[in-house]
Amino acid sequence: MAEPKITLAEVEHVARLARLDLSQAEKERMRSQLDAILTYIDKLRQLDTDNVEPTSHAIPMVNVMREDEVRPCLPTEAMLANAPERASDFFRVPRIIEE
Amino acid sequence: MPRMTGLTIPEVAARYRSGAATPTQVVEAYLRRIEALDPKLRAYVTVTRESALARAEAANRRLKAGTPAGPLDGIPLAIKDVICTKGVRTTCSSKILETFVPPYDASVITRLTAAGVVMLGKTNMDEFAMGSSTENSAFFPTRNPWDLTRVPGGSSGGSAAAVAADLAAGGLGSDTGGSIRQPAAFCGTVGLKPTYGRVSRYGLVAFASSLDQIGPFARDVRGAAMLLQAIAGHDPLDSTSTDVPVPDYEAALGQSVEGRRVGIPNEYFIEGMDPEVEQAVWVAIEVLKGLGARIEKVSLPHTDYALAAYYLIAPAEASSNLARYDGVKYGYRAPGNKDLIQMYGRTRAEGFGAEVKRRIMLGTYALSAGYYEAYYGKAQRVRTLVRRDFQQAFERVDLLACPTAPTVAFKLAEKEDPLQMYLCDIFTIPVNLAGLPGLSLPCGFTQGGLPIGLQLIGKPFDESTLLSAAYAYERATPWHRRVPELA
Amino acid sequence: MTATEYEVIIGLEVHAQLLTRSKMFCGCPTAFGGAPNSQTCPVCQGMPGVLPVINRRAIEFGIRTALALDCTINAGCRFARKHYYYPDMPKNFQISQYEEPLAVEGWLSVEVNGTARRVGIQRLHLEEDVGKLIHEGTLETARASLVDFNRSGVPLMEIVSKPDVRSAEEAAAYLRALRAILIYLGVCDGNMEEGSFRCDANISLRPKGSTEYGVKVEIKNMNSFKNVQRALEFEAQRQAKALAAGERIVQETRLWEADKDYTLSMRSKEYAHDYRYFPEPDLVPLRVEQRWVDRLRTTLPELPGERRQRFVARYGLPAYDADLLTQSRALADYYEAVVREYAKPKVVSNWVMSELLRELPGDDEAAIARCPVPPLNLARLLALIDNGTISGKIAKDVFEKMYRSGEDAEAIVKREGLRQLADVDVLGSVVDQVLGANAGAVADWRKGKKQSLGFLVGQVMKATQGKANPALVNQLLLERLSKGS
């Protein structure tokens, strides 16, 4: 059997980076699905791209800037209206612990 | 009473001008149709009845006073729920944004509002535009108006179905890998993905920033041209929007196909594609030939790699764009968290659906330490190759013609394997990678009565040529006049 | 066996808040101290659908700074997304620069104990600031935290030095010199307390003579030059002790606890830092054309280094004075304005360094702008000493009063009757009284103990409440003392 493209430990690491609490069943399923997709994607290796520049924008442009002008802000209330939890004019979040 | 629905955008506009109908009459008729038929189709996530009636009323007054806001004044449209609308819930068909009410309008909405357009509501989609069937909506799937057991395509399935079923005169969708063109093909409407940078993305909830574009759905080519006219152009709020002048698209419709060089890419006729689709597309090419087009075979040799590159680039950008949904500022927050880490992990696990999580995982992996060059970097280089293929082809031809999708609309729940679903977009994805304009229009029906889409692909910023070729084809064929029987 | 001697290797990372009017990627104002979440918009709050647009002035501030630091400005540069989750960061990625920064490879001349050394600049790039967190209690004990996004999106310039700094003192000198340049350029106000000039340091030790770098520790939370110096001194000693005890240094981030005088480990796990940088797809690359750079070069002011040299050459000031006076552009401007009116540069330098800086809350533009003693008034005060109206000692009191009241010197001297006693008859009788009352000192002087003259002058000054003209007192005393011998 071929070496898996992605291991369960890698799935767990990536899920942690992406801040997704996956159940054990989800992790297993995710691993096999990602494995299949990555196996498909492996076909890119057939192409020699050593002397090919990457394209990050299909329509190349440069130097798009705005002048340093102040524009009106939105009212505090409008900016907080969607907050899941607030305390006066702040957004409130649960206790911060470092990972 | 004169007909109020079942009309194309130019037909509705003509009735307004002649006084044969008013925006209020038309909008009321559409709202009644939505009420009657949408329970079957489920194209809309939110119907904005009150504001639609108020805007129709305002359009009445302008038209009556002889001071219309423009050719689209009073035209009722369906807007994909990925485009931010001030004061109107914008969900992206996701649990995580189910309650989100933007305090601002997307630039396209600002433009359409200024043009007098009446928004009927926000349409269903695959969650965050990730999917090809609209089954990935967190709320409900949308049905194909030609066969309610089938999908409308996706991700803009709600807008496509609404326009095809005449629950709106036209609509807006977004297209990252085929999300306008593929549902347009599945639903038998015209759908146009403009050149990257032609239409502002400001206010379009981002899926993959370097690929996303907003574009129109309409039941005829002229309607699509009119909508594009209203939304195209430079926007200082979008650094990737270009200030290439916007031509008069309606005027361009008059251009003849005579002598146009139409390229047929070999790689877009593949083993395993639906023979009825292949047949219809070849017949359509013959029609173009009959109209005076010069048909040439071309090759886009890296087509086979485009899908793989896309499934690295799009998820990588998506994993970044979707990082902001964390339960802090807006949207869903999982209840009862002991600390921040738990809140993040649970909010995102509960708030996102399976396909979105899969792509976030794939994209995070592709960008993570040690894999960047092998995956994301490689994909961006392959993207260059795909783009070059098109550049070389366009040295010889003016536009390309090919199928929009390898199949017609499939049954709900038919495609369970993610990779099988991704393969629906093999003919549309290369166009996004190259940033080109692409248009899908109906080119026939299967024996079973399902629409088939013809895709036209143009040079950057040459939507005019696409629209004129599509218009010539449309006038020569009956397909756009067929309507699904729903009632 | 002798203990290993270590060499301290320090690299400094400065985040300077740019003095633009609007934020880095949107039009919200950058003003400090607004009500919470009152200076935000969908863009800087990272709402769904928003897009950034680069502030041209921020780029130009970056280019001007790069020029002042003699950096190579990259012809092509672009922004990248740096990912990590924290509630003060609205998008959970920061738009920063990674592989293609605005500028690289510059240097800054740093002087410690009269010796100047070059500290290399590794890179200079632009990024957006995050919001502000307020913890309900301390970070460790808080049950919840509050987020204010006013600061989110404010433009920051990050300047990273090479690991060229060799002592805590040199680190502080580097930061002073860098801060002065930014203030001169008008790109940053240099305010460390409000956080518009922040510094992190990387510090490692290696045995003297070694060319390999040791394990480095990152120090954060140092909000003054003094704290930087103390934190790095502490950390150098901590590492030296650890190494001497045979321990290994752990690569980590430590916080400087200013009131406790030590650094404390933040204990964050390293795997969490996978920033997944990739080019920001919502922005297009910048092509910094030579013409643009040349035009900006013409806008550069005289920089602290050049001005320092000019102060030495033109005003004949000692290096120490020139250095101190040129720390801030506003202070140097003030100094030169006084000298224009009162042409004794060293006298002015003494007054500015001791009297003015004692009173001023700082040497920055705002402090100088609010200074109640304009340069002309100081010049006129000094002229009053020269023309004998008041003594130097009285002048210092007058200066203090000028600073409190904002009045000019003449008005204070006149109202308070501080004019110097220079009447030979009046002063002569005071001198006679002092001589009569201090026969011992007179006898000492006559025996050759010449320093008792100073005592006698002091007595006369005391008797006249300091108003006597010291030169005249000297003269009268000497006349009488030598006459009587």
Side-chain angles (χ1 to χ4, degrees):
Chain A
M1 201 183 118
E3 187 85 348
K5 304 297 299 177
I6 185 166
T7 64
L8 199 61
E10 283 176 306
V11 166
E12 284 172 348
H13 171 67
V14 173
R16 197 158 45 224
L17 284 177
R19 297 289 187 270
L20 287 169
D21 283 357
L22 302 181
S23 69
Q24 201 53 40
E26 269 182 304
K27 284 180 200 165
E28 306 273 359
R29 197 164 55 242
M30 189 70 81
R31 199 212 63 76
S32 77
Q33 287 170 337
L34 292 182
D35 199 70
I37 297 166
L38 290 169
T39 303
Y40 174 79
I41 283 170
D42 241 18
K43 66 158 67 186
L44 294 181
R45 286 175 198 250
Q46 298 161 5
L47 292 175
D48 177 4
T49 52
D50 286 354
N51 297 309
V52 181
E53 281 296 304
T55 292
S56 53
H57 288 98
I59 307 297
M61 288 166 71
V62 292
N63 291 1
V64 177
M65 285 173 272
R66 45 173 264 274
E67 296 312 315
D68 181 27
E69 283 156 11
V70 172
R71 293 167 59 90
C73 302
L74 255 60
T76 305
E77 206 41 51
M79 294 311 297
L80 279 147
N82 283 290
E85 189 187 359
R86 58 188 278 192
S88 68
D89 287 341
F90 293 95
F91 295 88
R92 192 167 188 267
V93 296
R95 192 163 79 95
I96 298 174
I97 52 155
E98 297 290 327
E99 199 178 30
Chain B
M1 191 166 135
R3 233 168 78 193
M4 293 295 167
T5 57
L7 304 169
T8 63
I9 291 171
E11 285 167 350
V12 177
R15 276 165 176 69
Y16 289 165
R17 277 197 305 276
S18 70
T22 67
T24 298
Q25 289 171 328
V26 169
V27 167
E28 280 176 348
Y30 271 113
L31 289 170
R32 278 195 299 275
R33 250 185 100 76
I34 291 168
E35 208 171 314
L37 300 174
D38 200 47
K40 287 186 194 170
L41 260 169
R42 312 227 66 186
Y44 285 90
V45 171
T46 305
V47 177
T48 50
R49 185 185 183 85
E50 299 309 315
S51 68
L53 289 170
R55 286 188 184 183
E57 190 63 45
N60 284 351
R61 284 196 296 273
R62 286 191 298 268
L63 286 157
K64 205 170 166 188
T67 55
L72 291 174
D73 204 357
I75 301 292
L77 296 186
I79 307 295
K80 187 179 183 181
D81 211 14
V82 73
I83 296 170
C84 284
T85 42
K86 186 176 176 177
V88 176
R89 189 168 80 116
T90 300
T91 68
C92 296
S93 291
S94 179
K95 183 176 173 182
I96 213 156
L97 281 181
E98 195 169 355
T99 60
F100 175 62
V101 180
Y104 78 104
D105 270 330
S107 292
V108 291
I109 298 297
T110 307
R111 282 176 181 247
L112 288 178
T113 304
V117 158
V118 177
M119 180 173 81
L120 293 171
K122 306 292 293 286
T123 55
N124 198 23
M125 54 189 279
D126 284 300
E127 184 180 4
F128 283 104
M130 297 177 191
S132 311
S133 69
T134 313
E135 291 167 292
N136 292 336
S137 166
F139 309 138
F140 41 77
T142 296
R143 310 273 169 159
N144 190 311
W146 298 91
D147 177 348
L148 295 176
T149 68
R150 291 176 187 268
V151 302
S155 66
S156 312
S159 283
V163 172
D166 197 28
L167 301 187
L172 288 189
S174 68
D175 190 317
T176 306
S179 281
I180 290 174
R181 292 159 289 156
Q182 185 255 21
F186 279 20
C187 291
T189 72
V190 178
L192 170 62
K193 180 205 95 77
T195 309
Y196 186 80
R198 177 77 294 178
V199 175
S200 170
R201 293 184 296 116
Y202 187 77
L204 168 67
V205 179
F207 161 15
S209 309
S210 74
L211 303 163
D212 297 342
Q213 266 295 285
I214 293 172
F217 286 100
R219 280 193 299 282
D220 69 344
V221 174
R222 185 179 293 275
M226 290 169 76
L227 289 177
L228 179 62
Q229 196 78 53
I231 59 174
H234 180 245
D235 178 9
L237 297 177
D238 176 0
S239 306
T240 62
S241 94
T242 51
D243 48 13
V244 176
V246 180
D248 184 336
Y249 294 119
E250 246 194 293
L253 297 181
Q255 289 169 16
S256 163
V257 187
E258 184 90 49
R260 286 255 191 249
R261 296 165 303 168
V262 178
I264 312 302
N266 291 329
E267 293 79 4
Y268 284 58
F269 295 87
I270 54 166
E271 223 176 288
M273 71 188 287
D274 186 329
E276 284 187 285
V277 170
E278 187 171 0
Q279 176 71 27
V281 171
W282 282 118
V283 171
I285 291 164
E286 284 305 311
V287 171
L288 288 169
K289 197 172 170 185
L291 290 167
R294 281 160 42 198
I295 307 299
E296 282 187 41
K297 290 215 164 186
V298 297
S299 174
L300 301 169
H302 295 96
T303 301
D304 195 29
Y305 300 96
L307 186 70
Y310 175 88
Y311 274 97
L312 288 168
I313 295 166
E317 293 181 11
S319 72
S320 171
N321 287 325
L322 272 61
R324 72 194 65 197
Y325 307 108
D326 60 0
V328 176
K329 300 143 303 229
Y330 38 71
Y332 178 74
R333 177 192 284 194
N337 304 293
K338 64 175 170 55
D339 59 49
L340 184 75
I341 299 280
Q342 193 183 57
M343 183 192 88
Y344 282 155
R346 288 170 44 190
T347 295
R348 291 168 60 78
E350 293 168 21
F352 291 132
E355 181 60 29
V356 173
K357 282 192 250 188
R358 200 148 43 231
R359 297 207 197 180
I360 289 175
M361 289 289 291
L362 183 56
T364 304
Y365 179 71
L367 290 176
S368 66
Y371 293 107
Y372 179 88
E373 224 0 90
Y375 286 119
Y376 189 76
K378 180 84 182 183
Q380 293 286 53
R381 288 172 209 279
V382 172
R383 187 174 183 182
T384 305
L385 298 175
V386 170
R387 209 173 129 222
R388 275 189 208 157
D389 283 356
F390 282 107
Q391 281 167 345
Q392 279 158 12
F394 282 125
E395 284 168 14
R396 295 174 44 210
V397 299
D398 301 311
L399 73 158
L400 301 168
C402 58
T404 306
T407 68
V408 291
F410 45 87
K411 297 254 185 199
L412 275 101
E414 188 183 316
K415 292 190 194 286
E416 285 194 332
D417 174 27
L419 201 51
Q420 287 311 306
M421 188 69 92
Y422 297 170
L423 287 164
C424 296
D425 296 329
I426 41 171
F427 299 153
T428 45
I429 274 172
V431 177
N432 296 80
L433 290 177
L436 303 171
L439 181 149
S440 180
L441 80 166
C443 72
F445 285 81
T446 61
Q447 300 262 308
L450 294 170
I452 298 166
L454 170 70
Q455 180 175 221
L456 302 176
I457 302 166
K459 296 175 186 174
F461 302 103
D462 193 15
E463 284 81 359
S464 292
T465 296
L466 288 190
L467 287 163
S468 64
Y471 185 65
Y473 175 84
E474 185 182 80
R475 287 209 301 177
T477 55
W479 316 118
H480 68 289
R481 280 193 291 274
R482 237 194 242 190
V483 290
E485 281 173 39
L486 268 174
Chain C
M1 204 182 98
T2 55
T4 318
E5 274 200 71
Y6 293 103
E7 183 180 27
V8 182
I9 310 288
I10 295 168
L12 296 158
E13 219 179 273
V14 164
H15 286 90
Q17 183 181 318
L18 297 180
L19 284 173
T20 53
R21 297 183 191 105
S22 64
K23 291 186 179 179
M24 186 73 216
F25 299 115
C26 68
C28 287
T30 53
F32 183 82
N37 293 301
S38 64
Q39 287 168 200
T40 70
C41 74
V43 175
C44 56
Q45 206 209 70
M47 280 212 170
V50 298
L51 299 170
V53 187
I54 296 168
N55 182 334
R56 180 191 301 274
R57 195 191 307 264
I59 303 295
E60 295 192 339
F61 280 1
I63 295 173
R64 281 158 54 97
T65 308
L67 288 172
L69 296 173
D70 212 19
C71 290
T72 303
I73 294 164
N74 284 331
C77 87
R78 68 161 78 213
F79 285 89
R81 294 184 180 178
K82 177 184 184 179
H83 300 86
Y84 59 93
Y85 282 80
Y86 216 64
D88 60 4
M89 197 159 62
K91 303 181 292 294
N92 286 321
F93 62 77
Q94 179 189 33
I95 305 179
S96 180
Q97 296 192 286
Y98 183 52
E99 280 179 334
E100 297 154 279
L102 186 60
V104 294
E105 294 293 328
W107 59 272
L108 180 58
S109 176
V110 175
E111 206 175 292
V112 176
N113 300 328
T115 317
R117 275 189 64 226
R118 276 187 177 198
V119 172
I121 305 289
Q122 192 177 312
R123 59 185 275 141
L124 180 155
H125 77 240
L126 300 176
E127 60 188 28
E128 56 178 343
D129 204 351
V130 297
K132 195 172 82 181
L133 281 174
I134 296 168
H135 306 295
E136 294 180 351
T138 68
L139 178 59
E140 290 76 25
T141 63
R143 279 179 43 252
S145 297
L146 306 175
V147 198
D148 171 9
F149 288 113
N150 283 349
R151 220 171 59 185
S152 161
V154 166
L156 292 180
M157 178 165 58
E158 181 174 318
I159 301 169
V160 184
S161 86
K162 292 185 177 173
D164 288 352
V165 177
R166 290 291 173 271
S167 70
E169 198 184 0
E170 195 169 79
Y174 166 88
L175 293 173
R176 273 195 202 95
L178 181 58
R179 178 175 171 271
I181 287 174
L182 300 186
I183 293 172
Y184 268 60
L185 291 169
V187 303
C188 174
D189 67 15
N191 190 321
M192 292 182 88
E193 287 73 36
E194 284 178 6
S196 41
F197 185 89
R198 295 168 232 166
C199 167
D200 301 330
N202 283 303
I203 172 167
S204 65
L205 263 53
R206 68 178 174 197
K208 276 225 165 105
S210 166
T211 52
E212 276 170 45
Y213 291 120
V215 176
K216 66 183 180 186
V217 170
E218 189 183 14
I219 314 290
K220 288 179 179 287
N221 202 32
M222 306 171 290
N223 61 356
S224 72
F225 294 130
K226 202 177 80 186
N227 276 327
V228 169
Q229 195 165 339
R230 281 164 58 208
L232 291 175
E233 274 161 6
F234 170 87
E235 184 59 23
Q237 279 173 22
R238 186 190 72 83
Q239 290 188 19
K241 260 186 229 162
L243 290 170
E247 290 167 29
R248 277 175 46 195
I249 303 297
V250 185
Q251 182 163 350
E252 62 180 348
T253 299
R254 297 176 73 89
L255 286 185
W256 171 245
E257 304 278 342
D259 11 321
K260 295 170 193 148
D261 256 326
Y262 57 62
T263 61
L264 191 67
S265 174
M266 283 176 77
R267 283 186 300 270
S268 63
K269 287 179 195 163
E270 282 310 309
Y271 76 78
H273 298 292
D274 183 343
Y275 292 131
R276 286 161 284 136
Y277 283 101
F278 79 105
E280 166 57 275
D282 288 329
L283 293 172
V284 301
L286 290 175
R287 187 179 297 148
V288 183
E289 277 140 10
Q290 196 53 45
R291 261 188 330 183
W292 192 15
V293 175
D294 290 342
R295 188 174 58 72
L296 289 170
R297 198 189 298 275
T298 64
T299 68
L300 292 186
E302 185 186 28
L303 292 169
E306 305 161 31
R307 202 165 197 182
R308 191 184 311 124
Q309 284 169 16
R310 184 166 63 80
F311 274 24
V312 172
R314 176 158 170 201
Y315 301 125
L317 294 181
Y320 175 85
D321 294 34
D323 194 43
L324 205 105
L325 292 173
T326 53
Q327 281 299 307
S328 115
R329 183 160 74 171
L331 183 68
D333 287 347
Y334 184 99
Y335 169 77
E336 293 208 89
V338 181
V339 171
R340 270 195 295 278
E341 300 296 328
Y342 179 81
K344 291 184 179 170
K346 177 60 184 153
V347 175
V348 177
S349 165
N350 291 344
W351 273 80
V352 169
M353 289 192 306
S354 52
E355 304 311 314
L356 182 68
L357 287 183
R358 178 173 29 246
E359 299 292 345
L360 279 181
D363 65 356
D364 54 295
E365 208 150 328
I368 300 284
R370 283 195 299 266
C371 175
V373 182
L376 183 63
N377 285 9
L378 176 55
R380 284 156 94 174
L381 171 69
L382 299 180
L384 290 182
I385 306 174
D386 279 11
N387 70 19
T389 308
I390 53 173
S391 68
K393 186 170 179 302
I394 292 286
K396 288 180 182 177
D397 298 337
V398 173
F399 180 80
E400 261 188 55
K401 287 178 176 134
M402 289 165 74
Y403 196 91
R404 306 272 166 268
S405 67
E407 285 175 291
D408 64 21
E410 285 89 345
I412 295 171
V413 168
K414 197 170 171 193
R415 189 183 61 239
E416 307 208 351
L418 298 174
R419 183 173 282 274
Q420 188 150 259
L421 214 50
D423 183 309
V424 178
D425 293 339
V426 177
L427 211 48
S429 68
V430 178
V431 166
D432 290 339
Q433 279 170 32
V434 167
L435 288 174
N438 294 284
V442 172
D444 284 350
W445 191 87
R446 292 204 169 117
K447 272 183 244 156
K449 207 175 161 195
K450 297 299 173 197
Q451 58 267 51
S452 59
L453 177 66
F455 170 77
L456 293 167
V457 171
Q459 292 304 304
V460 177
M461 296 309 285
K462 196 174 164 190
T464 58
Q465 291 105 50
K467 282 184 273 183
N469 180 324
L472 190 57
V473 172
N474 235 25
Q475 185 200 324
L476 292 174
L477 276 168
L478 281 173
E479 271 174 27
R480 280 164 172 71
L481 286 166
S482 35
K483 219 183 278 170
S485 62

